[in-house]
Amino acid sequence: MRALFSVIFLLISMFLNGQGLHGPGYVLVIHGGAGNITPARVTPEKQVIYEAKLKEALAAGQKVLANGGAAMDAVIAAVQIMEDCPLFNSGKGAVFNAEGKNELDASVMDGRSGKAGAVAGVTIIRSPVEAARRVMDSSQHVMLSGKGAEAFAGEQGLELVDPSYFYTDESWQEYLKVKERLEQEGRKGTVGAVALDSHGNLAAATSTGGMTFKKYGRIGDSPVIGAGTYASNESCAVSCTGHGEYFIRNSVAYDVSVRMLYLGETVEQAAAYIINEKLKSQGGTGGLIAVDKNGNISMPFNTPGMFRGFVKHGAEPQVFMFR
Ligand code: ASP
């Protein structure tokens, strides 16, 4: 009898904690881009502002997860906070291409169903990550680009904005600077989120303006499933940031997953090898965030810094930017 009561008590407390039947409870990890993020460039005043925004994004996703919501809803909620914030290179504040225009890319992947959605080169969709989700849920396709993606988003009732919505003076000044030097510098961060929900499901989302001064029509890794974004309930969920061409050539997000499955590596080992050895040896800069099916996380980067943070079930959110 006593044992029966203990089991009932345990189940009730798991339910109340939002853990459901899944052991580790929920985990959410976010990034706001990797790059030349150093104390010299991010002043103490700016650090406070970045930390507050990263925490706000974590809180938005955590709210979903703590209520027993889906990992997909959590990653979208977290990414949308950063898309709407001019501090990051996604949505409002996205960097400019060589023509002085904002072209946005985003993708999502659901680890339970294996379904994915992406948009590339869009210029008037306020939330590219939401458009990516609609491609996954409401179309027969995985990726839509340019005008076709924008028409689809309109049909879906998503908010369309004038391209000037994405303009920020900071991104424009960076564009002018890079135009002058014709090199990548002071890159602002792409945003991403990965989550494990209390039902044991994984999801990943990434949203970006791409690389400053990219060629008109250039598509990076962020909307490419397996390169910038990947999720599978068998292994892990991954969102990447960095020099996209290297992430595409190395199928980075998928590689984290399959190294775990085929080589038996931990998420930490797989992610660290790819970022700090494989990519680094090729000159590929950037980082990634990952969470595995047991709630273990990894956030490696081979740049001076990466905006990042995580929150686990029942714990305080933590955010970082430097090494
Ligand atoms: N990975 C993005 C791209 O190449 C840029 C970034 O993460 O900073 O488009």
Side-chain angles (χ1 to χ4, degrees):
M1 200 59 170
R2 221 187 166 132
L4 183 67
F5 275 130
S6 315
V7 170
I8 292 171
F9 179 75
L10 188 71
L11 285 173
I12 290 174
S13 58
M14 277 171 75
F15 178 74
L16 289 177
N17 284 335
Q19 286 190 305
L21 294 173
H22 187 68
Y26 64 77
V27 180
L28 171 68
V29 192
I30 60 169
H31 71 74
N36 204 2
I37 299 159
T38 59
R41 293 179 73 104
V42 190
T43 59
E45 297 77 48
K46 273 195 173 172
Q47 286 172 34
V48 173
I49 300 170
Y50 271 107
E51 278 175 16
K53 228 356 137 179
L54 292 169
K55 283 188 177 158
E56 188 185 332
L58 283 170
Q62 184 178 23
K63 196 170 159 203
V64 175
L65 295 169
N67 288 328
M72 179 56 68
D73 292 326
V75 294
I76 299 264
V79 166
Q80 278 183 325
I81 296 286
M82 295 186 281
E83 279 185 335
D84 280 347
C85 171
L87 288 173
F88 303 102
N89 175 20
S90 67
K92 188 164 184 63
V95 299
F96 291 90
N97 69 11
E99 319 278 310
K101 305 243 162 66
N102 300 114
E103 285 186 307
L104 314 171
D105 302 332
S107 66
V108 297
M109 187 161 185
D110 181 48
R112 184 174 59 91
S113 63
K115 289 180 78 182
V119 293
V122 296
T123 59
I124 57 168
I125 302 173
R126 175 171 171 178
S127 174
V129 79
E130 178 60 27
R133 192 217 318 236
R134 296 299 175 99
V135 173
M136 174 177 77
D137 287 341
S138 309
S139 87
Q140 304 290 320
H141 308 294
V142 170
M143 190 190 290
L144 292 177
S145 72
K147 296 260 174 290
E150 290 164 356
F152 170 77
E155 282 158 29
Q156 289 290 312
L158 298 196
E159 186 179 351
L160 302 181
V161 292
D162 187 82
S164 61
Y165 165 81
F166 300 108
Y167 177 94
T168 59
D169 201 47
E170 198 192 334
S171 291
W172 184 248
Q173 294 307 327
E174 187 186 316
Y175 163 77
L176 294 178
K177 204 168 74 189
V178 177
K179 192 172 179 183
E180 207 173 275
R181 296 192 195 160
L182 280 183
E183 63 180 23
Q184 304 291 335
E185 219 186 51
R187 235 174 37 213
K188 271 211 288 190
T190 291
V191 306
V194 294
L196 169 70
D197 67 26
S198 54
H199 311 286
N201 294 317
L202 291 164
T206 312
S207 183
T208 187
M211 307 270 285
T212 304
F213 217 74
K214 65 186 178 181
K215 204 169 176 52
Y216 169 55
R218 177 265 190 188
I219 293 171
D221 61 310
S222 307
V224 178
I225 300 303
T229 305
Y230 190 73
S232 166
N233 273 13
E234 273 187 85
S235 53
C236 62
V238 184
S239 170
C240 302
T241 176
H243 196 149
E245 281 67 14
Y246 290 86
F247 285 74
I248 294 176
R249 286 196 285 261
N250 289 283
S251 300
V252 167
Y254 184 64
D255 202 19
V256 177
S257 168
V258 292
R259 287 188 73 88
M260 292 175 68
L261 291 175
Y262 302 161
L263 300 177
E265 291 183 348
T266 64
V267 68
E268 183 65 42
Q269 288 168 334
Y273 168 76
I274 294 164
I275 296 297
N276 292 323
E277 295 189 41
K278 196 172 176 191
L279 247 60
K280 203 170 174 185
S281 69
Q282 299 172 17
T285 52
L288 64 81
I289 53 170
V291 57
D292 74 11
K293 61 180 181 178
N294 298 314
N296 300 303
I297 68 170
S298 179
M299 308 186 287
F301 52 96
N302 62 27
T303 48
M306 179 168 85
F307 293 111
R308 61 202 187 280
F310 68 88
V311 62
K312 290 191 174 192
H313 178 91
E316 284 299 306
Q318 302 207 43
V319 299
F320 314 89
M321 48 194 87
F322 309 124
R323 278 203 175 275

